[in-house]
Amino acid sequence: MDRETKETAPEPLFVIRGLCKLFPGSGGGKAGGRADDSTAALDGVDLDIHRGECLLIAGSNGSGKTILMRIMAGLLEASGGSIRYKGNDLAWALKPSGEKTFRRELGIVFQDPDAQFVGETVEQDAAFGPLNLGMDKTESRRRGKAALEKTGLWEKRNLTPRRLSGGEKRRLALAGVLASGCETIIMDEPFANLDWPGVVQVLTIIKTLKAEGTTLVILTHELEKVLALADRLLILHRGRVRDNGPSEEVLGRLQNEYGVRDPRQSYTSIKDCSWLP
Ligand SMILES: Nc1ncnc2c1ncn2[C@@H]1O[C@H](COP(=O)(O)OP(=O)(O)OP(=O)(O)O)[C@@H](O)[C@H]1O
Ligand SMILES: [Mg+2]
């Protein structure tokens, strides 16, 4: 990189260095357990996220994906390390004067969306995000409707979110974020509970968001569903970044202990249709 490029290149959207999260008193005798009996859910994570990229973070159950997302969203405090967002410490974005802007910019689709619903009906819920961000009622309803149509939930608009099926709840959580028009979206296991049309619908939305320049971070262990859309693959294992780079290269170096399955397989007969080795 020449001097001029170095000076003018914008800082990545997120710059994460040495991020740690310890949970006290639960590590005795377990993997990840420490001498002081704490567990490191994140253990020195370094990560840059660039504007407009689609980053896939893969890791087995308990590898630290959700904890990482919660810390990035300012919903959980780290035990150590630093996060810079748009060139400033994340704490700056989370100050009362800036938090609304940060929430408008960063959308989160939670793994367990139940806690995220606030509207009495599906329609109200989808419109809540933009309303809460200060848009007027008409615009919020318009955005909510468009998002429900995109996620195939418009016909369920009069139901209470509690009555939706697991897959529908997940799509409603996504609709809320779409309606808010966030420029960065983190999706935690976006395919869990979805049937085939549901997966196709979410993938179509991801593809459109990507084309529109939305920065996407997708946390999943279901690589086979989304890898083709990813610009980069990062492997998280026991709270550490084990690999990070172009998907093809990372898959070529995949180790069994990471608990992530290489999806580059072809199923040619029924007997091959099993995940047993
Ligand atoms: N409050 C807590 N106290 C102690 N340990 C916790 C707490 N919250 C999370 N952990 C531990 O942190 C580790 C990482 O959890 P996390 O939810 O980030 O995993 P994940 O990669 O999202 O897994 P999954 O694929 O199952 O969603 C897990 O081992 C979990 O048990
Ligand atoms: Mg998780």
Side-chain angles (χ1 to χ4, degrees):
M1 192 184 283
D2 62 46
R3 195 156 169 259
E4 195 170 327
T5 317
K6 198 173 175 182
E7 279 172 2
T8 53
E11 179 168 323
L13 188 63
F14 277 98
V15 177
I16 299 173
R17 292 290 176 268
L19 196 70
C20 292
K21 181 65 189 175
L22 299 175
F23 288 108
S26 52
K30 287 198 305 185
R34 308 196 148 205
D36 63 356
D37 203 33
S38 62
T39 299
L42 294 178
D43 192 2
V45 169
D46 292 340
L47 166 62
D48 288 353
I49 298 174
H50 302 274
R51 288 161 211 256
E53 78 168 329
C54 177
L55 168 67
L56 211 60
I57 301 186
S60 56
N61 295 145
S63 54
K65 304 182 296 294
T66 299
I67 297 287
L68 173 62
M69 179 193 76
R70 292 180 64 82
I71 296 176
M72 284 171 64
L75 302 172
L76 185 69
E77 210 171 320
S79 311
S82 66
I83 300 187
R84 287 171 68 79
Y85 172 72
K86 289 192 170 176
N88 289 302
D89 194 284
L90 183 63
W92 193 81
L94 292 168
K95 283 200 309 198
S97 56
E99 189 172 1
K100 209 160 200 169
T101 306
F102 180 65
R103 300 275 165 231
R104 181 163 49 226
E105 290 173 354
L106 180 74
I108 303 283
V109 181
F110 287 92
Q111 188 167 11
D112 170 17
D114 267 322
Q116 215 176 344
F117 301 134
V118 285
E120 279 177 29
T121 65
V122 165
E123 186 176 12
Q124 282 175 10
D125 195 85
F128 178 80
L131 204 57
N132 192 41
L133 294 171
M135 295 180 213
D136 68 37
K137 255 189 180 165
T138 313
E139 175 64 3
S140 300
R141 285 192 72 172
R142 190 193 66 73
R143 283 169 162 262
K145 180 176 186 219
L148 290 177
E149 283 170 346
K150 265 191 193 169
T151 49
L153 286 175
W154 180 239
E155 65 185 48
K156 306 270 180 185
R157 62 189 173 279
N158 294 320
L159 280 184
T160 166
R162 281 197 318 278
R163 294 235 186 276
L164 295 178
S165 75
E168 289 165 349
K169 283 179 182 170
R170 193 160 283 277
R171 283 189 274 146
L172 178 56
L174 178 56
V177 169
L178 291 180
S180 300
C182 303
E183 59 187 48
T184 301
I185 302 180
I186 309 181
M187 300 184 191
D188 197 358
E189 302 290 356
F191 311 111
N193 258 331
L194 292 189
D195 58 13
W196 176 54
V199 172
V200 173
Q201 220 158 31
V202 171
L203 286 173
T204 308
I205 291 168
I206 290 174
K207 201 170 165 183
T208 308
L209 289 169
K210 203 180 145 165
E212 290 169 355
T214 306
T215 307
L216 295 165
V217 181
I218 301 173
L219 318 181
T220 186
H221 48 258
E222 299 178 275
L223 294 184
E224 68 280 8
K225 292 182 178 154
V226 66
L227 197 63
L229 295 176
D231 298 313
R232 186 155 65 102
L233 175 62
L234 182 144
I235 305 288
L236 201 61
H237 177 60
R238 290 191 174 166
R240 291 189 187 163
V241 175
R242 303 297 168 139
D243 209 338
N244 178 15
S247 306
E248 200 77 32
E249 292 174 18
V250 171
L251 288 179
R253 298 187 289 253
L254 213 54
Q255 314 226 340
N256 279 342
E257 60 161 327
Y258 300 160
V260 173
R261 186 170 174 272
D262 186 338
R264 295 172 301 177
Q265 292 195 12
S266 56
Y267 299 101
T268 52
S269 73
I270 286 179
K271 69 176 173 46
D272 294 329
C273 293
S274 164
W275 281 20
L276 286 176

